[in-house]
Amino acid sequence: MSGDIAKFNAAQAALDYVKDGMVVGLGTGSTSAHFVRQLGERVRQGLRVKGVPTSEATRNLAEQVGVPLLEISQITSLDLDVDGADEVDPAFRLIKGGGGALLREKIVAAASKQMVVIADESKWVETLGDFPLPVEVTRFGFALTQHRVTEALRASGCAGDEVVLRITGKSNEPVITDGGNYILDAHAKRIPDPEKLGAALKDIAGVVEHGLFIGLSQVVIIGKAKGAEVKTL
Ligand code: 5RP
C-alpha cells in the first residue's frame, strides 16, 4: 500500500511538467495509471492536452477517464512522455517492459522532447539487472533468438545468462504483446555495461526491441510516502 501512495505521489509531481496544449505520451503500468487518472481530472478542470497511449490497457484507461487521444500515426513528435520504470540507475538508464509494453513505450519516448520517469523508491538501483530484462522477439524462431540473447548476456559480462519465455499466469500460454510478439525475460542479474548489452541485443535478428532505455530520460521523479523527489541529470 505504501508503494502505491509513493507511485501516486510520483505521478502527481509529474503533472507539473504538463502544460496547456501539449501532446503527452502516456506510459503503461500501475504508476502510469495513477498519472493518467490524475491527468483525466485536470482535463475535466479545463486542461487541454492530447495523449498518446503506449498500450491498449492505457488507451482503455485514458478513454475511461476522459483524456483525449491521438493516434501515433497522426504525429511526428510529442512534447512530453510520462512513464514508469522497473529499474532506474544514477545515469537515468532504465529497465522497462515489466508490463510488456516496451516497444510502444520506446517508440513514444524516443519521439518525445522530454521523458519524465515516475517511480517509487524500490526502482532506484546502483546497477541495472536485478529485474529481468524484457526483450520483445518475433514468434518465428524465438527459441533460436533465445539462444542468441543468452550469448549476448555472456559476451556483455552480465552476472546471469538465464533467458525465459514469458508465460501468462492465466492460461499458461506465452504472453503476446500488443504488437503480436513474444517476450523473453533475460535474467542478467547484473548488467555491467548496459550500452554494450543494448547494442548486442539490437544486432540479433528476431529481436524487435529490448527494455534498456538509454539516453532517453532527463527527469526522474521518485515518489515517497510523503511527496516526491525530482532528480535531473
Ligand atoms: C511497462 C513498464 C512499466 O513502466 C514498468 O513495468 C513499471 O510498472 P509499475 O509502474 O506498475 O511498477 O515498463 O511495460
Side-chain angles (χ1 to χ4, degrees):
M1 191 59 192
S2 63
D4 204 51
I5 290 167
K7 288 176 181 190
F8 179 95
N9 288 339
Q12 189 171 49
L15 286 173
D16 288 348
Y17 290 81
V18 182
K19 306 292 175 221
D20 208 49
M22 278 187 164
V23 175
V24 182
L26 307 175
T28 295
S30 56
T31 319
S32 294
H34 280 299
F35 176 74
V36 174
R37 283 190 286 266
Q38 293 181 52
L39 189 63
E41 271 176 46
R42 292 290 169 97
V43 167
R44 288 195 291 282
Q45 291 160 6
L47 180 73
R48 287 165 306 166
V49 289
K50 295 272 168 65
V52 178
T54 55
S55 64
E56 293 308 308
T58 297
R59 177 190 302 282
N60 292 339
L61 177 62
E63 284 172 355
Q64 275 171 35
V65 301
V67 177
L69 297 179
L70 286 174
E71 294 300 325
I72 191 89
S73 56
Q74 292 176 277
I75 54 163
T76 52
S77 70
L78 297 90
D79 300 296
L80 175 69
D81 178 39
V82 179
D83 202 345
D86 299 301
E87 285 186 349
V88 187
D89 81 359
F92 291 10
R93 294 175 296 195
L94 317 174
I95 287 184
K96 284 188 53 55
L102 64 144
L103 174 59
R104 293 186 188 187
E105 288 174 334
K106 197 179 276 189
I107 290 170
V108 168
S112 298
K113 294 184 187 127
Q114 187 174 43
M115 180 189 192
V116 173
V117 176
I118 49 177
D120 63 87
E121 279 177 298
S122 69
K123 309 294 181 64
W124 184 260
V125 299
E126 273 309 308
T127 307
L128 298 178
D130 193 34
F131 190 92
L133 175 66
V135 182
E136 184 158 345
V137 301
T138 58
R139 289 194 242 180
F140 179 85
F142 81 89
L144 215 140
T145 309
Q146 189 172 7
H147 182 66
R148 302 286 313 279
V149 171
T150 303
E151 288 177 340
L153 293 177
R154 288 181 189 150
S156 310
C158 295
D161 64 3
E162 196 193 359
V163 180
V164 296
L165 180 65
R166 193 180 293 182
I167 303 290
T168 63
K170 290 179 199 155
S171 59
N172 214 27
E173 294 288 321
V175 168
I176 309 283
T177 67
D178 285 341
N181 301 304
Y182 284 166
I183 297 213
L184 301 176
D185 286 309
H187 294 251
K189 292 187 179 159
R190 187 173 183 279
I191 303 174
D193 190 340
E195 284 79 2
K196 185 174 180 183
L197 178 60
L201 292 172
K202 265 291 193 192
D203 227 25
I204 300 172
V207 168
V208 179
E209 194 48 84
H210 59 76
L212 286 167
F213 283 46
I214 298 173
L216 290 173
S217 47
Q218 299 79 32
V219 178
V220 173
I221 302 179
I222 302 292
K224 311 263 167 97
K226 281 192 183 148
E229 181 190 351
V230 177
K231 296 174 186 277
T232 52
L233 269 186

